[in-house]
Amino acid sequence: MEIQVQKVPESERKPHTRDESQLVFGRQFTDHMFVMDYDAGLGWHSARIVPYGPFNMDPAALVFHYAQEIFEGLKAFRRPDGRIALFRPKDNIARFNRSAERLCMPKVDEGFFFEALKTLVKMEGEWVPKSQGTSLYIRPTMIANEAVLGVKPSSKYLCYIILSPVGAYYKGGFKPVKIWISDEYVRAAPGGTGEVKTGGNYAASLYASVEASKAGCDQVLWLDAVHRRYVEEVGSMNMLFVYDGKVVTSPLHGTILDGITRRSILALVQEMEIAVEERALSVDEVMEGAVNGRLQEAFGTGTACVVSPVGQFTYKGRTVQLGNGQMGELTAKLYDTLTGIQYGRLADKHQWVEIL
Ligand SMILES: *Cc1c(COP(=O)(O)O)cnc(C)c1O
């Protein structure tokens, strides 16, 4: 499929934020976006790169009513030599298709979608910020846009990619987060959609995050929906623990998103010859472990932050501290290693990086 390109005239381009320390996550978007349409019987068509702007959509479009929607999140990094790198982009596209399948949406051609993504990022290359820790966030999205109120898989879809320059996640240094362990609400149940990236999972998570924030916490840690006992994910991140000197994380058993950062961090841990255990870890082990010292470090992993160290847990009215208010030693080492590979300071032994 050919990609038609309609450029924004030079004189109408948006001004770039000169002071990159002012960039905030997901508020500013680049000049162009990639869009394509799907119609049952026709397949994907009309691939185009056009000026960034609103869609004209029917109020009855299925996505607005029954949330048939999926998305992805990945980043482009500016290397010291000025070139632009993507981190494991094919893994994101493969996951996009797994999400599509679960939501009864059409798959994209992975090779074509990768080319489209690269073409857009290259075209918007100027938008990839240069200072330490900054990047260009890439958001592929697919929505159902048949105008009908019947509950069924849509016969029409819109797939698009938008780009947002983002600032360094850790501007003022690493600040370990306060975690609220929800004993009342759950994120995902077996058989549900917890393992795919769909907006509905997030809509359902907001109530508990408001509750957490009222209690002075930053993020919600979800327990499994069946026993309400085993730790699963935190906010939009996978959760890893350094427990008895091993790295412990929940297995991917259907309610947890298969994070690309999680996968990469586990590979780095193994390379450091530290044992990895994918097993159920109970909330009691976490709370007691923080007190008796068996739990040494805990951190979330995700594209936006890479790692997010945990400083305290609150569960059923009890709060326990972890560490001394600093990022744990292994957490810091993993952060430096993974960002080193992404920004090109360290060798990319695993071939995770795609240079544009
Ligand atoms: C996106 C996401 C993650 C992190 O995945 P990465 O590929 O590492 O960015 C973890 N949990 C949830 C629920 C997510 O949506």
Side-chain angles (χ1 to χ4, degrees):
M1 194 174 8
E2 280 281 305
I3 301 175
Q4 300 293 324
V5 177
Q6 184 203 335
K7 282 193 179 169
V8 177
E10 211 66 61
S11 60
E12 287 166 32
R13 300 264 164 103
K14 299 175 196 169
H16 289 211
T17 304
R18 293 251 172 265
D19 182 358
E20 292 183 350
S21 69
Q22 296 305 308
L23 289 171
V24 281
F25 182 84
R27 289 215 178 262
Q28 192 187 6
F29 298 94
T30 68
D31 290 303
H32 301 91
M33 61 182 179
F34 169 83
V35 188
M36 62 180 175
D37 300 301
Y38 179 95
D39 285 86
L42 214 59
W44 288 109
H45 64 91
S46 311
R48 58 207 186 265
I49 289 175
V50 291
Y52 181 96
F55 294 122
N56 187 1
M57 285 182 63
D58 195 295
L62 279 167
V63 65
F64 297 139
H65 304 275
Y66 311 123
Q68 201 187 4
E69 186 266 3
I70 57 166
F71 65 97
E72 266 304 324
L74 68 159
K75 281 176 169 178
F77 304 92
R78 178 77 64 188
R79 317 268 288 187
D81 63 6
R83 291 187 301 171
I84 296 166
L86 300 172
F87 186 71
R88 308 189 74 169
K90 290 176 186 149
D91 293 35
N92 289 92
I93 296 171
R95 189 171 66 189
F96 194 55
N97 269 346
R98 291 202 301 277
S99 300
E101 182 164 19
R102 179 65 179 82
L103 273 283
C104 298
M105 300 171 95
K107 290 186 183 177
V108 296
D109 179 287
E110 293 185 17
F112 171 77
F113 202 61
F114 185 40
E115 286 310 312
L117 191 152
K118 284 195 289 188
T119 306
L120 178 67
V121 174
K122 264 191 217 163
M123 220 176 112
E124 302 287 68
E126 288 278 297
W127 282 97
V128 183
K130 298 176 178 65
S131 25
Q132 169 115 24
T134 61
S135 58
L136 184 71
Y137 185 78
I138 306 168
R139 170 57 60 93
T141 309
M142 194 195 296
I143 55 179
N145 71 345
E146 183 184 346
V148 58
L149 294 181
V151 179
K152 61 159 196 116
S154 179
S155 66
K156 293 159 82 78
Y157 297 88
L158 195 62
C159 178
Y160 57 91
I161 305 173
I162 54 175
L163 309 174
S164 171
V166 297
Y169 197 88
Y170 295 109
K171 259 183 276 195
F174 297 98
K175 202 173 144 278
V177 294
K178 297 176 178 157
I179 297 293
W180 171 263
I181 304 178
S182 182
D183 60 349
E184 193 168 3
Y185 304 103
V186 293
R187 188 190 87 93
T193 55
E195 66 181 342
V196 298
K197 251 178 144 58
T198 180
N201 290 339
Y202 282 84
S205 77
L206 297 175
Y207 199 87
S209 66
V210 170
E211 184 184 57
S213 127
K214 278 186 193 149
C217 295
D218 308 300
Q219 298 262 0
V220 179
L221 175 63
W222 304 100
L223 299 179
D224 78 284
V226 177
H227 310 94
R228 304 290 181 103
R229 179 149 180 241
Y230 301 105
V231 292
E232 295 209 325
E233 287 195 88
V234 59
S236 56
M237 293 181 285
N238 293 114
M239 192 68 215
L240 279 70
F241 300 85
V242 184
Y243 198 87
D244 284 341
K246 297 174 197 155
V247 171
V248 180
T249 190
S250 169
L252 302 171
H253 47 30
T255 53
I256 290 183
L257 196 93
D258 179 1
I260 293 158
T261 318
R262 172 190 185 275
R263 217 186 278 172
S264 309
I265 291 279
L266 292 183
L268 295 177
V269 168
Q270 269 156 341
E271 231 170 65
M272 292 169 185
E273 299 193 352
I274 296 168
V276 170
E277 271 183 9
E278 292 186 58
R279 69 160 171 99
L281 183 75
S282 72
V283 61
D284 302 327
E285 283 178 281
V286 171
M287 296 300 283
E288 293 317 315
V291 175
N292 64 26
R294 293 182 71 184
L295 179 65
Q296 289 114 20
E297 301 178 30
F299 55 97
T301 65
T303 294
C305 62
V306 181
V307 300
S308 176
V310 173
Q312 70 172 52
F313 293 100
T314 300
Y315 177 58
K316 289 193 196 273
R318 175 180 173 216
T319 296
V320 295
Q321 306 290 328
L322 187 63
N324 51 4
Q326 306 280 315
M327 190 176 201
E329 201 182 318
L330 181 60
T331 311
K333 193 170 164 194
L334 290 166
Y335 177 81
D336 289 340
T337 310
L338 194 57
T339 55
I341 296 168
Q342 290 172 331
Y343 287 94
R345 297 187 300 269
L346 295 176
D348 172 29
K349 282 186 268 181
H350 302 270
Q351 287 166 320
W352 286 337
V353 171
E354 303 264 356
I355 306 276
L356 292 190

